[in-house]
Amino acid sequence: MQLCAPSVVYSDDEDCRTPCDCLRGARPPPYNVRRESDRKRPPPKCTVEIGGTIVRVLIDTMAFVSVIDLVQFDKLIPLPKLAPTKERINPYGGTEPLSLKGVINIKVVSNKKATQARFCVSEWGTGTLLGCHTEEDLGLVFFTKQVHESQAAAIPQECPQLFKGLG
């Protein structure tokens, strides 16, 4: 659900520059609602163009880095130049960092939107995962911030169209 326009983000964090940055310091909601049917759904994936090559990617809204494995990296035409990195990133829930071959900065295109993205190239067969900044830049996801009670009273005045009619 979006409030008003995608650019409207309610936040009590003055350091938020983008909705994705706000997620880093976002407090978890007091409860989590999840449908039973969601447990059986496959993870969200889509097809994007990375450096001119069509690639199937995992959409991971909580990832702050984009990752491409070496197998997929070797299929990119033309093959981008790898830059060395000392970066350490752990997979979700893992304590052992991914073995990284390097990083690339490359053009990513989806639905006629393009962005320059930074990918860590993993030696492990992890597949390709888009980080939240790239997803947001391509318009694949929109981030909104949890609205706190103290902010809720202002919403009807700011977004009156949301409070008219059915729904």
Side-chain angles (χ1 to χ4, degrees):
M1 177 177 125
Q2 291 178 300
L3 299 176
C4 298
S7 61
V8 175
V9 177
Y10 293 91
S11 173
D12 56 0
D13 184 351
E14 294 301 317
D15 292 329
C16 290
R17 305 266 186 304
T18 70
C20 200
D21 291 336
C22 292
L23 285 175
R24 291 184 182 143
R27 290 184 291 239
Y31 54 86
N32 227 344
V33 177
R34 187 173 178 178
R35 296 179 303 205
E36 187 60 35
S37 62
D38 288 345
R39 296 178 199 273
K40 298 174 185 147
R41 288 185 178 176
K45 292 186 177 183
C46 72
T47 302
V48 299
E49 187 180 303
I50 299 176
T53 303
I54 302 297
V55 179
R56 188 94 171 133
V57 297
L58 176 68
I59 302 295
D60 186 346
T61 57
M62 292 307 291
F64 292 108
V65 295
S66 295
V67 179
I68 187 169
D69 67 21
L70 200 50
V71 172
Q72 187 61 57
F73 171 78
D74 286 336
K75 293 179 184 177
L76 297 178
I77 299 172
L79 194 63
K81 183 171 171 55
L82 268 174
T85 185
K86 293 184 179 181
E87 193 168 351
R88 294 173 47 95
I89 56 173
N90 290 3
Y92 177 75
T95 56
E96 184 72 24
L98 289 177
S99 180
L100 299 180
K101 194 80 170 162
V103 295
I104 58 172
N105 287 301
I106 195 163
K107 182 179 178 182
V108 182
V109 180
S110 177
N111 298 321
K112 299 181 183 177
K113 286 190 176 184
T115 189
Q116 279 295 121
R118 183 175 182 276
F119 281 84
C120 293
V121 180
S122 168
E123 292 182 8
W124 299 350
T126 56
T128 303
L129 166 131
L130 287 184
C132 66
H133 295 290
T134 303
E135 296 162 7
E136 187 176 34
D137 290 347
L138 294 172
L140 297 171
V141 297
F142 297 97
F143 292 98
T144 59
K145 178 86 161 126
Q146 175 181 338
V147 177
H148 301 285
E149 265 185 68
S150 61
Q151 299 165 314
I155 295 173
Q157 288 80 31
E158 292 177 30
C159 309
Q161 71 278 13
L162 296 177
F163 298 90
K164 293 180 181 168
L166 294 176

